[in-house]
Amino acid sequence: METTIQTNISSEVTLTDPSTDIVLGAIYGIIGCLGILGNLLVCTVFLMRRKVFSSTTNLLILNQSTIDLADSIFYLVLRFGPQLSEQGDNIWGELACRIWFSEYVIWSLFVASTVNLLFVSLERYFAICHAVKHRKIFTTRRANIGRVVVWIIGFSYQSYWAALHRLEDGKCYAHWPTPTIQKIGGVFFFACEYLIPLIIMSFSYANIVIMLRRKSKRDNKEVNTFQRAKRNVTVTLCVVFLSYSVCWTPTEIAYLLYNLGGDYDFESVLHRIFTALVLGNMCVNPIIYVFKYERFQVELRRIFCKHNRIGDPSLGGGSTVRTVAGGGHNSDGEGPSTVQ
């Protein structure tokens, strides 16, 4: 997964054209800025409408945007902020190498993002396929605990990457003890951070799609607002999962092949394109919410549009907002007081 400098990089470094570097640098900067603006917007809407977005699903979506926001900020600071390469071969230089130049923080947040997406997929799977179990397992308290656990897992898991790095002659490198350990580690980390989560998420959403199709064939009558909201948030998160798969698959496979002994140029244009895809995953989710998540669209209009009256046709097709019986949070992506 990691794309920083490795010890086994071929001695023949491909020199890219300066204009290519400028274009890719501009793309990286745009992606980072979009990641900050988009995820900040999502966090703002969710926090300003806490009662609406208080379900377990939305708490995890908020956590996802918080992680991506932090990742976007750290990425821009690392790429375009002050450089710390003049620390020298001392304890502070060693710490800068292990924590900063190794990109430990950025990749820890990427792992946390993957774990959070895994939690979201499991939550949706139980909500659609095992509703009774879902109500027992996925409580608000457990969702909040899960949000914290995601961050802990990301930084704990990725600590191996900081441990591998060393500062030599003012340059920061990752040193695997032996090629054999690198191969074993490459396969292990590929499975843990990509393959296993991808299999679980694919299983979850495949079963969700099958279940929704069965229900649509069985229920010929008109779908009510609650069922519509339930399906909409699920479809939205399916799209989020698909975008994750597209953005991460190329770089994960390339890094696995590299750890297994294959030649891979970390200075090539192809690698930089793979990196751009990974970074793009930080900013794509807010775009998906804007175009797919109906509840988010409604609340976004209510916050930023002048006409924010309940029943305004521009805020939800002209239908008024009704209260969910019981006043408690529902488990299908909508808050305690409103359903679209």
Side-chain angles (χ1 to χ4, degrees):
M1 178 180 68
E2 290 71 13
T3 57
T4 51
I5 298 176
Q6 309 289 321
T7 53
N8 295 0
I9 296 178
S10 172
S11 58
E12 297 182 1
V13 179
T14 301
L15 295 177
T16 57
D17 185 79
S19 61
T20 303
D21 290 337
I22 294 174
V23 171
L24 289 173
I27 292 174
Y28 292 166
I30 292 172
I31 290 174
C33 291
L34 288 176
I36 292 175
L37 295 175
N39 288 292
L40 184 60
L41 175 65
V42 174
C43 292
T44 300
V45 173
F46 273 55
L47 292 174
M48 290 183 68
R49 294 291 189 267
R50 286 189 295 271
K51 292 183 178 180
V52 175
F53 296 111
S54 63
S55 69
T56 54
T57 309
N58 286 313
L59 289 175
L60 292 174
I61 292 176
L62 174 59
N63 202 43
Q64 189 74 34
S65 291
T66 304
I67 294 170
D68 290 341
L69 173 61
D71 221 346
S72 300
I73 294 172
F74 276 109
Y75 172 75
L76 282 183
V77 173
L78 177 66
R79 285 287 181 263
F80 304 104
Q83 299 299 306
L84 306 177
S85 57
E86 298 180 357
Q87 292 293 325
D89 295 331
N90 53 45
I91 187 172
W92 298 112
E94 191 74 23
L95 285 174
C97 169
R98 292 174 181 267
I99 304 301
W100 188 249
F101 288 105
S102 68
E103 301 181 357
Y104 161 72
V105 175
I106 292 176
W107 292 105
S108 296
L109 290 170
F110 277 140
V111 171
S113 177
T114 299
V115 176
N116 196 79
L117 282 176
L118 179 60
F119 283 9
V120 169
S121 68
L122 290 174
E123 190 274 338
R124 284 292 85 198
Y125 168 73
F126 278 93
I128 301 299
C129 302
H130 304 282
V132 176
K133 290 183 179 179
H134 179 273
R135 285 191 290 270
K136 295 179 180 179
I137 297 174
F138 292 91
T139 63
T140 301
R141 179 176 177 274
R142 288 177 178 173
N144 287 323
I145 293 175
R147 293 164 68 188
V148 176
V149 169
V150 161
W151 291 76
I152 294 174
I153 291 176
F155 283 90
S156 300
Y157 169 90
Q158 201 62 27
S159 60
Y160 85 91
W161 190 238
L164 286 176
H165 275 74
R166 299 286 187 277
L167 186 65
E168 293 182 359
D169 300 325
K171 296 183 179 180
C172 188
Y173 295 99
H175 293 267
W176 290 89
T178 67
T180 301
I181 293 178
Q182 181 176 4
K183 291 178 181 179
I184 296 173
V187 173
F188 174 80
F189 294 122
F190 173 80
C192 288
E193 67 197 25
Y194 174 73
L195 184 59
I196 294 176
L198 185 69
I199 291 173
I200 295 175
M201 287 188 281
S202 299
F203 170 84
S204 299
Y205 285 114
N207 280 274
I208 286 171
V209 171
I210 293 172
M211 181 61 69
L212 289 178
R213 286 183 176 179
R214 286 178 181 174
K215 288 183 178 180
S216 63
K217 291 180 180 179
R218 184 180 61 217
D219 303 329
N220 294 323
K221 47 188 178 179
E222 185 179 356
V223 178
N224 60 38
T225 54
F226 183 83
Q227 291 171 326
R228 179 188 175 188
K230 180 177 181 178
R231 293 189 180 190
N232 176 254
V233 70
T234 302
V235 170
T236 300
L237 293 172
C238 281
V239 177
V240 169
F241 161 68
L242 292 175
S243 69
Y244 163 81
S245 302
V246 171
C247 291
W248 276 98
T249 297
T251 193
E252 287 287 357
I253 293 176
Y255 188 66
L256 172 65
L257 295 176
Y258 163 73
N259 280 323
L260 292 177
D263 292 330
Y264 187 76
D265 187 356
F266 284 85
E267 297 297 326
S268 67
V269 174
L270 181 63
H271 168 72
R272 298 186 182 191
I273 292 174
F274 289 170
T275 301
L277 279 174
V278 171
L279 297 174
N281 194 235
M282 297 187 304
C283 65
V284 71
N285 290 346
I287 299 174
I288 294 173
Y289 301 149
V290 168
F291 286 98
K292 293 294 295 181
Y293 193 2
E294 294 177 0
R295 181 74 268 160
F296 181 78
Q297 295 169 356
V298 170
E299 298 305 326
L300 186 63
R301 295 192 194 104
R302 284 187 178 146
I303 292 174
F304 293 101
C305 293
K306 294 181 179 180
H307 301 290
N308 59 355
R309 302 182 303 273
I310 294 177
D312 191 324
S314 67
L315 300 178
S319 60
T320 57
V321 178
R322 63 183 180 84
T323 302
V324 176
H329 84 81
N330 69 70
S331 61
D332 302 302
E334 301 304 321
S337 59
T338 59
V339 174
Q340 187 174 348

